[in-house]
Amino acid sequence: MKTVFALVDCNNFYASCEKLFRPDLRDTPVIVLSNNDGCVVARSREAKALGIKMGVPVHHIRSEIRLHGIHLFSSNYTLYGDLSRRVMTTLEALAPRVDVYSIDEAFLDLSGVERVVPLRDFGHQVKDIVVQNTGLPVCVGIAPTRTLAKLANYAAKKYRATEGVVDLTDTGRQRRLMALAPVDEVWGVGRKISAKLQAMGITTALKLADADPATLRKQFSVILERTIRELNGIACIPWEDAPQPKKQIMCSRSFGSPVKALPDLEEAVVQFASRATEKLRKGGQYAGTLMVFFRTNSFRTELPQYSNSASVGLITPTQDSRVIVQQVLSLLRPMYRPGYGYAKAGVMLSDLVNKAIIQEDFFANPSPDQDDRAARLMSVMDEINRRSRTKVCSARQAGPAAYAMRKEHLSPAYTTDWRQLPGVT
DNA sequence: TCTGGGGTCCTAGGACCC
DNA sequence: TCTGGGGTCCTAGGACCC
């Protein structure tokens, strides 16, 4: 049986989520901003039509915002995460296998579907059911490999005549589309590689597909070789039988205003360490290495700059917030220098393992019994934090702090907080 | 152009071993 | 002080993705 992939991708996901609860903004250009309201991370169709570019700092487009009455939203990940789950649940009911690839897209296994219904028709069914269940518009790209499905999705978004669905299982259609697609639209070809390819005369997806994989592997890497094979219809990224466990967990933030004093910096990294460890426990994992970093604002070149990072390996991997917080603080303190305004800090947990393969530390103090008590304490803490708004946390995490993020245009938690349900008047 | 918070994978090069 | 060849492991950095 021929393998067939579909890539389902939400249109302007964050902007569509915001519009869902604001029908009054139906035809208004809308943009969603990154943390701290820094730059543009999503644009509605109308905003794209106005030429607002992805990633621009919001203060560069103040005049356009005023001129065209563009509506701003701070990012509301609680809302987007909840709506994403609804989309994915819908997709899981429609296909035997679903790979959630990011917050707004998923690969579906459509192998065998064409014996029952034409693939293009099935794509339209998927699209209609998702919009019916969630209110969110999606596009569907169908092809024999993930890389081609990505390209099909690009075409479905770009060309109106496709009505949001492109079936690229036919080789002739693949080549016609690839001849039109700039090489940087290929999945896996970013800014650097695209520039090098262009210099070699490889300007379209088709020229890349027809290039010699062995030669390009030598000049680039196996990843690009794989991309070439995928463009030629050879699937190189198979289905995973089990979801792959995380390899690292990161928690970092830019601060709303510069942080100068050690206690404030400590408070921030304690927060990050706690949040990262919570994610760790949610996945049932233990961290073997932790890293902390912080830095001044490198864009303010007129100001003195300082950044540093340090990591430590634990003898026994842990998921105990108290241990991780202690370690992070003892890494941070000797690195801290007064006299700088710090703009960002973060904590990373890595060398993650499951409990089953943990090597006990022969000389460690806590007996297995104490270890057990630590585990119970952590799970009680997590449970309380899930249920209540008053968070239980280590004494160092106070809030709202000096480094709080700017979020001046935040929409309500429409779907995850009873008190913020949208009203009908 | 430089703005955000996550992630993954690959490669080159150094340290170290025989 | 210089001379060989081969291997592994780890880390840092780069490139990509959303």
Side-chain angles (χ1 to χ4, degrees), chain A residues 80-292:
Chain A
Y80 314 148
D82 187 56
L83 292 174
S84 170
R85 260 190 306 281
R86 297 179 189 201
V87 171
M88 299 311 167
T89 307
T90 298
L91 294 179
E92 274 155 14
L94 295 172
R97 205 142 49 168
V98 175
D99 235 11
V100 176
Y101 179 66
S102 76
I103 192 164
D104 72 334
E105 59 189 301
F107 288 101
L108 272 51
D109 185 358
L110 299 195
S111 309
V113 166
E114 63 194 322
R115 284 186 304 212
V116 184
V117 50
L119 288 168
R120 197 166 168 280
D121 295 356
F122 188 82
H124 277 288
Q125 284 176 31
V126 170
K127 183 174 175 258
D128 294 345
I129 293 171
V130 171
V131 81
Q132 196 181 312
N133 287 7
T134 67
L136 294 167
V138 298
C139 283
V140 183
I142 302 167
T145 69
R146 291 178 199 245
T147 305
L148 284 169
K150 273 271 192 186
L151 212 57
N153 199 288
Y154 153 80
K157 285 204 161 72
K158 182 174 168 103
Y159 301 109
R160 272 211 138 161
T162 64
E163 293 177 328
V165 178
V166 168
D167 170 7
L168 211 58
T169 46
D170 175 77
T171 320
R173 295 197 74 191
Q174 288 167 17
R175 294 188 68 83
R176 281 198 297 282
L177 172 61
M178 286 196 288
L180 295 173
V183 72
D184 55 311
E185 291 295 342
V186 175
W187 192 35
V189 177
R191 217 166 23 117
K192 287 283 172 68
I193 291 178
S194 147
K196 272 175 89 174
L197 288 174
Q198 308 252 13
M200 297 164 65
I202 299 174
T203 49
T204 65
L206 186 61
K207 286 183 178 166
L208 180 60
D210 289 340
D212 176 41
T215 310
L216 287 202
R217 176 187 181 143
K218 259 179 237 141
Q219 285 179 56
F220 296 88
S221 77
V222 293
I223 298 185
L224 195 66
E225 183 194 17
R226 198 179 68 188
T227 299
I228 294 172
R229 297 198 192 282
E230 285 240 327
L231 287 176
N232 284 287
I234 302 158
C236 304
I237 314 165
W239 292 98
E240 305 278 2
D241 288 327
Q244 296 304 295
K246 280 203 171 99
K247 301 190 170 161
Q248 56 176 234
I249 292 174
M250 170 107 122
C251 187
S252 74
R253 289 288 180 280
S254 298
F255 303 133
S257 49
V259 167
K260 298 205 164 93
L262 178 60
D264 290 335
L265 194 57
E266 286 182 344
E267 195 180 312
V269 300
V270 167
Q271 275 259 10
F272 303 151
S274 306
R275 246 179 285 167
T277 316
E278 237 178 89
K279 289 189 211 171
L280 188 68
R281 288 195 294 268
K282 207 173 270 178
Q285 292 177 297
Y286 294 72
T289 300
L290 51 92
M291 192 268 277
V292 57

Side-chain angles (χ1 to χ4, degrees), chain A residues 5-21:
Chain A
F5 293 90
L7 177 68
V8 181
D9 191 320
C10 299
N11 305 348
N12 321 318
F13 183 57
Y14 298 166
S16 300
C17 290
E18 297 292 353
K19 282 201 175 198
L20 199 53
F21 295 92

Side-chain angles (χ1 to χ4, degrees), chain A residues 330-389:
Chain A
S330 58
L331 287 175
L332 174 71
R333 283 177 187 137
M335 291 192 294
Y336 172 80
R337 300 284 178 277
Y340 296 95
Y342 297 107
K344 182 174 183 171
V347 169
M348 192 170 89
L349 307 178
S350 52
D351 290 330
L352 308 186
V353 294
N354 296 318
K355 191 175 176 63
I357 56 168
I358 287 182
Q359 186 100 58
E360 296 286 340
D361 175 13
F362 189 72
F363 300 103
N365 269 335
S367 66
D369 176 53
Q370 276 171 304
D371 225 41
D372 208 45
R373 279 164 51 198
R376 285 206 301 273
L377 173 64
M378 289 301 119
S379 77
V380 166
M381 213 169 96
D382 289 343
E383 184 58 24
I384 292 173
N385 286 339
R386 245 197 309 275
R387 288 197 210 165
S388 100
R389 298 177 62 78

